[in-house]
Amino acid sequence: LQDSFVNTPTITIAGSVNELHPGGLWVNGVAAYLADGVFSVTGVPLFEGPNAIKVRTSDLAGHEASATVSIMLDTVPPAITIVAPSGGALVRTAQLAVSGEVSEIDALVKVNGSAANVTGAGFHLTSLTLAEGENVITAGATDRAGNSGAASVSVTVDSTAPAKPVVNQPASPTNVSVIGVTGVAEANAEVMLTIATGPTTTVLTTRATEQGL
């Protein structure tokens, strides 16, 4: 019980007294019932932060003894943030490192159920296996009192190379120096156009629309 962390505003204090002629027992100044040297007091109130619980007993001769324990009441859940990868990221590998920040240095952090390394106010998981397509990455933190907090980001894995784009044949021959080039490619894919004019090569970059045009 000494130096323990709890997240409930009231607790039970129990123990025993080795005294043949007990006179009385008090927990934080409140009289408690003592039966055959054993006591149990429910509903002992705590305040947020450190608390000192003092148990005092006396015998019929007037002698007294006491014991004190320190208990920390913490009802605030840890705050956790995923820094990398960023939400909405598009990646091409199924193995991904996850890192972020947590507000309590002694918190236990798990990422999608796998324990992460916590150093100071940061956490890091070396490798998380994702599935093809959209994935939700959730980092959860639990502090010493049992409070928990979580944060999530969505990441999309695309490990498949885009199909070869199809270029519509421009009109040829032509009598203009500037022409438009159209075609079909994977939606949102980056498309590179290589134009060779005699000894000169020009590379232009564009991006396909959501319809692949």
Side-chain angles (χ1 to χ4, degrees), residues 10 12 25 30 32 39 98 119 127 132 165 167 169 189 191 194 197-198 211 213:
T10 60
T12 297
L25 183 135
V30 178
F39 67 92
V98 181
T119 304
S127 180
E132 188 77 9
V167 179
Q169 177 64 45
V191 179
T194 303
T197 306
Q211 291 74 37
L213 304 176

Side-chain angles (χ1 to χ4, degrees), residues 118-146:
V118 180
T119 304
F123 70 88
H124 181 81
L125 181 67
T126 303
S127 180
L128 178 67
T129 301
L130 303 177
E132 188 77 9
E134 185 176 2
N135 295 260
V136 176
I137 299 175
T138 300
T142 304
D143 64 19
R144 288 177 290 180

Side-chain angles (χ1 to χ4, degrees), residues 170-171 174-181 195 197 204:
T174 182
N175 60 358
V176 295
S177 59
V178 178
I179 63 172
V181 179
I195 303 171
T197 306
L204 302 176

Side-chain angles (χ1 to χ4, degrees), residues 183-191 205-213:
V184 179
E186 180 178 308
N188 299 312
E190 185 180 84
V191 179
T205 302
T206 187
R207 184 172 295 280
T209 65
E210 291 186 358
Q211 291 74 37
L213 304 176

Side-chain angles (χ1 to χ4, degrees), residues 92-109:
R92 60 181 183 180
T93 176
Q95 302 295 324
L96 201 64
V98 181
S99 60
E101 299 175 347
V102 61
S103 62
E104 298 191 32
I105 60 175
D106 294 315
L108 172 66
V109 175

